[in-house]
Amino acid sequence: MNRHESDNLDRLLSNRLKKALDDDGRAGWLDVRERAGMSRTVWHWSRARVVLVAVALLLGVGACAGSTGVIPWFNQKPSIEVPRLAPPCKAKNLSVSQDFGYFQPPGQSYAYLTNTGSRACSLAGRFRVALVDPEASEPRLFLKHASRVIDPLEPNSLLRSVPPRQEVVLEFFPGSWCERGSLPKWAFQFVGPLVGSERAGTVTVSPG
Amino acid sequence: MDRQTRAIEDVYSRRYQSFRGALAGIVGSYELAHDVIQESFVRALAGRNGYRGEGPLEAWIWKIALRTALELRGHAMEQPLADAFEPELPEPGRDEELAAALKELPPRRRLVVFLRYVADLDYREIARVCEISEGTVAATLAQAKAALATSLGYSNPDPQELREVAE
């Protein structure tokens, strides 16, 4: 038997033996590692398994933290002290100032309302702003726009009880009003919002 | 993971089926073969620092596997590995002619046949595993091959069959 024939015989025997011994058994390297005292490591896990474990850990930590107080503030909701609703601000206790320089269409404008009274009063709700003719025999509302008092810090609490000498800002949009050309003789009228059954006072500011 | 562990894992992942097939013939069943493989690789990992790189890593693990198989079967550990087993097909019905031909061989030749043709070890590796010389391996394998060729009718193999195998 020459070398070539011998090699072919090797292949024949190998193929036949492997075929007779073929088996679809499954390997288990992780089992080997565990038995050898090596812990399973995450880099051997599938991505889905890592994500599942991470989510489970997060949920577990959250649940533990909430129930055991490990994180004291975990289950606490931020407490905002909402002051009692004060009586509505009266016109005599409100001073209004406005920078008419801002009155440039189509921009917005601001009026500054200050509680000049000795007690806290409420400005919660929407104002109505009117452009009126103070020289007319009967003050004539020219246009009305609903506007709101803004307080970027605590809109829900400060407006319910504006302390004395506190200033709040009223935002409105005169830019969309008509007949702006006759503005110098017109005045702005701020009609306070309803608080309960009472309405805050009406304040008129004439252009200065 | 250290370099040795990676190398052992690499042998495991690449050669598991070869270990399984050859060991199934050596120990008599696939289930026992799997147990032997797992235990052998556990031992290989545990003793990886004892492997100094003398000879191929796979042969080193095979030697552990044969010793583990001996131990699991309750055989005396002093017995030379080359003569400790009587390999045969675990399911003779799958190739009765081959099973009968293997049974005609002395145990040592059968072991060398399994290590060469199923485990794909070369002469040097078989020599290390069985603790015999390479010359003995070559002679043993040549005798086994000749006997198998005769038993299986490969003395004058069909040229067509040889061509198919070669391809």
Side-chain angles (χ1 to χ4, degrees):
Chain A
M1 190 183 299
N2 61 32
R3 175 69 184 270
H4 182 67
E5 288 171 339
S6 178
D7 287 347
N8 283 343
L9 182 56
D10 282 338
R11 291 195 191 96
L12 272 174
L13 290 173
S14 182
N15 286 350
R16 191 158 176 180
L17 272 161
K18 284 176 179 170
K19 193 175 172 188
L21 288 161
D22 186 38
D23 180 61
D24 58 355
R26 292 204 167 187
W29 176 248
L30 290 180
D31 172 54
V32 172
R33 281 184 63 90
E34 272 196 343
R35 286 170 58 186
M38 296 176 172
S39 58
R40 293 184 181 207
T41 46
V42 291
W43 49 87
H44 281 89
W45 293 2
S46 68
R47 186 175 298 175
R49 196 170 181 182
V50 170
V51 170
L52 276 175
V53 169
V55 169
L57 275 175
L58 279 175
L59 290 176
V61 167
C64 285
S67 60
T68 63
V70 173
I71 303 175
W73 59 88
F74 188 83
N75 273 343
Q76 291 180 4
K77 292 179 179 174
S79 61
I80 299 174
E81 285 189 17
V82 178
R84 284 185 63 181
L85 188 63
C89 295
K90 298 296 184 184
K92 63 179 181 180
N93 293 330
L94 280 178
S95 72
V96 182
S97 63
Q98 197 214 4
D99 184 352
F100 283 90
Y102 282 100
F103 187 22
Q104 298 294 331
Q108 64 201 66
S109 189
Y110 302 96
Y112 304 94
L113 305 171
T114 306
N115 178 8
T116 56
S118 57
R119 292 182 178 179
C121 63
S122 170
L123 286 174
R126 279 187 173 272
F127 270 76
R128 285 182 299 152
V129 183
L131 201 57
V132 298
D133 180 0
E135 295 175 359
S137 54
E138 289 183 8
R140 183 163 62 94
L141 294 181
F142 187 70
L143 271 176
K144 292 181 181 178
H145 274 213
S147 296
R148 63 189 178 91
V149 175
I150 56 170
D151 174 29
L153 295 179
E154 290 195 48
N156 289 326
S157 58
L158 177 62
L159 301 180
R160 288 171 62 87
S161 181
V162 181
R165 294 179 298 282
Q166 176 73 45
E167 181 182 77
V168 296
V169 183
L170 178 65
E171 175 192 43
F172 63 105
F173 299 88
S176 59
W177 288 1
C178 304
E179 302 191 25
R180 294 188 298 272
S182 56
L183 263 179
K185 66 176 185 178
W186 295 92
F188 282 104
Q189 192 173 72
F190 300 96
V191 182
L194 275 173
V195 180
S197 59
E198 295 186 75
R199 180 182 293 281
T202 299
V203 185
T204 303
V205 182
S206 298
Chain B
M1 198 188 329
D2 59 78
R3 195 167 53 87
Q4 294 284 49
T5 302
R6 268 199 299 273
I8 292 170
E9 181 181 0
D10 179 58
V11 171
Y12 185 95
S13 56
R14 281 189 303 105
R15 309 292 296 156
Y16 175 83
Q17 291 302 338
S18 297
F19 271 89
R20 186 179 175 96
L23 275 170
I26 291 168
V27 299
S29 80
Y30 294 105
E31 291 73 24
L32 189 54
H34 178 76
D35 291 344
V36 170
I37 295 169
Q38 298 301 91
E39 180 61 25
S40 305
F41 277 86
V42 167
R43 293 181 183 186
L45 281 181
R48 62 190 182 280
N49 293 329
Y51 172 66
R52 306 280 177 212
E54 64 281 8
L57 177 64
E58 190 172 340
W60 181 71
I61 298 173
W62 257 109
K63 197 165 179 174
I64 295 173
L66 289 188
R67 292 208 175 279
T68 304
L70 261 187
E71 200 178 311
L72 289 180
R73 294 180 74 181
H75 287 206
M77 291 297 288
E78 306 83 48
Q79 198 170 2
L81 284 176
D83 302 314
F85 303 97
E86 297 185 13
E88 57 188 16
L89 295 184
E91 295 172 4
R94 290 168 70 170
D95 192 336
E96 290 178 354
E97 187 185 22
L98 179 61
L102 285 169
K103 277 202 167 184
E104 295 292 318
L105 299 178
R108 176 183 288 202
R109 289 184 194 169
R110 284 191 234 169
L111 178 64
V112 172
V113 163
F114 273 71
L115 293 177
R116 177 74 190 104
Y117 294 130
V118 185
D120 293 319
L121 300 184
D122 61 27
Y123 288 12
R124 188 168 70 106
E125 290 169 325
I126 295 171
R128 282 200 170 269
V129 172
C130 297
E131 298 168 338
I132 54 180
S133 69
E134 281 188 53
T136 305
V137 172
T140 305
L141 196 61
Q143 290 160 348
K145 220 160 85 171
L148 286 173
T150 304
S151 300
L152 299 172
Y154 290 154
S155 297
N156 295 300
D158 177 10
Q160 176 64 26
E161 190 176 8
L162 285 177
R163 270 198 299 277
E164 287 173 3
V165 170
E167 287 164 5

